[in-house]
Amino acid sequence: METHEILKAVKAGKISINDAKKLLSIYSIEEIEGIAKIDINRRKRRGIPEIIFAETKEIEDIKKIIKRTLEKSNSVIVSRLKKTDYPKIQIFAKKLKVKVKIGKKSSTLLLFKKPIKFQGGKVGILTAGTSDIGVAEEARLVCEAMNCKCITSYDVGVAGIQRIFPILKEMIEEDVDCIIVAAGMEGALATLVSTLVDIPIIGIPTSVGYGYGEKGIAALASMLQSCSLGLSVVNIDNGIAAGGIAANIANRTIRKKE
């Protein structure tokens, strides 16, 4: 249960004030054998699930964190997982009897026990090129873990600008609450989308590119220097942050409508 759900349950008389206090405690930290301290109540407090940065962790430590987290919550995200560890985590998930969602061309996994209900807001996700898909999928998994429905369209960059209009029309018709745009090279797509809609845009500069502005530097500079209002920017390749921000915006919008 997230914070607003707990408060609604108290109002409806479904749980007591003391039980709500326990659920809302900000001091609920789970320590795992001296290797990690999990913020168990982050989901309740902020709506954001536990996310394990796996790139520099040993596989056995990752397994321990996954197991303990899923004892306390329905889902956990593993980001930047090494390719060699993919099959090991999938086998481990089967032993735990949990399901796994894998991002396309991505190093991120979403593990969950019960089916995730898309009862939150709606998020649109676009990429300029096929090479940007992995980062966009990282954002999608975070949004879905936060109960958001995602509408995606990939490879719609400025090199063929006509490709963007049908999907933007669909996103407007679907009344998305936020749009994520992942783009490398010169990163122009984020500015373009921002000029066409009255929806908050989150730009992710990706490390796709070479030469003078290689490794996402040109894309980051371009997005930061954009003269189109309504565009915010996260760090290079940071799909996790973009997904968390977009889902928070979308979910707050839904709660306001309720």
Side-chain angles (χ1 to χ4, degrees):
M1 294 175 73
E2 295 181 19
T3 302
H4 72 284
E5 294 173 328
I6 294 169
L7 295 175
K8 282 167 69 175
V10 172
K11 185 178 180 180
K14 294 179 180 178
I15 63 174
S16 69
I17 291 174
N18 284 338
D19 286 340
K21 184 179 178 183
K22 289 178 184 177
L23 290 170
L24 291 169
S25 172
I26 64 172
Y27 301 108
S28 181
I29 302 294
E30 195 80 10
E31 185 165 358
I32 303 173
E33 299 179 16
I35 61 168
K37 294 179 178 66
I38 303 173
D39 183 2
I40 294 299
N41 272 351
R42 181 188 299 159
R43 180 70 190 241
K44 297 183 181 73
R45 191 175 69 252
R46 301 189 56 215
I48 297 174
E50 181 67 31
I51 299 171
I52 303 168
F53 179 68
E55 192 170 80
T56 57
K57 290 185 176 67
E58 297 295 328
I59 186 66
E60 292 306 316
D61 291 342
I62 296 169
K63 288 179 181 179
K64 289 173 186 175
I65 298 170
I66 288 172
K67 186 174 185 295
R68 189 67 65 85
T69 301
L70 289 176
E71 287 171 0
K72 301 289 183 176
S73 62
N74 184 56
S75 64
V76 61
I77 290 173
V78 183
S79 76
R80 304 298 175 99
L81 186 65
K82 300 169 193 153
K83 285 185 179 180
T84 53
D85 288 342
Y86 254 77
K88 297 172 187 175
I89 293 299
Q90 288 176 301
I91 292 169
F92 183 65
K94 284 183 180 179
K95 288 181 180 177
L96 293 180
K97 297 181 179 179
V98 299
K99 296 180 181 179
V100 180
K101 273 194 176 185
I102 301 173
K104 300 172 189 174
K105 301 180 183 292
S106 172
S107 58
T108 300
L109 303 175
L110 168 59
L111 290 81
F112 57 98
K113 295 184 292 188
K114 297 178 183 177
I116 295 170
K117 297 177 181 178
F118 299 127
Q119 56 195 14
K122 294 180 183 178
V123 177
I125 305 177
L126 302 170
T127 73
T130 303
S131 298
D132 306 312
I133 290 175
V135 173
E137 285 285 284
E138 189 173 75
R140 179 182 66 83
L141 290 177
V142 173
C143 289
E144 291 189 356
M146 294 173 67
N147 305 110
C148 288
K149 177 183 176 182
C150 293
I151 299 166
T152 63
S153 187
Y154 300 149
D155 195 27
V156 292
V158 297
I161 198 62
Q162 72 279 2
R163 299 174 294 178
I164 193 67
F165 299 110
I167 184 59
L168 276 185
K169 182 179 179 181
E170 180 185 342
M171 288 181 178
I172 292 168
E173 288 173 347
E174 285 281 342
D175 197 22
V176 298
D177 305 296
C178 189
I179 297 176
I180 295 170
V181 180
M185 300 299 284
E186 85 289 14
L189 185 63
T191 289
L192 174 71
V193 174
S194 181
T195 67
L196 295 173
V197 297
D198 63 346
I199 301 166
I201 307 297
I202 300 170
I204 313 173
T206 70
S207 54
V208 175
Y210 50 86
Y212 182 71
E214 66 177 353
K215 298 179 182 178
I217 299 300
L220 175 61
S222 175
M223 291 184 191
L224 289 174
Q225 290 287 98
S226 175
C227 62
S228 178
L229 299 179
L231 168 63
S232 60
V233 186
V234 297
N235 206 348
I236 297 168
D237 290 338
N238 199 347
I240 292 289
I245 297 164
N248 263 338
I249 291 171
N251 288 339
R252 283 183 63 84
T253 302
I254 287 296
R255 290 200 293 272
K256 292 287 184 182
K257 288 177 181 176
E258 291 175 352

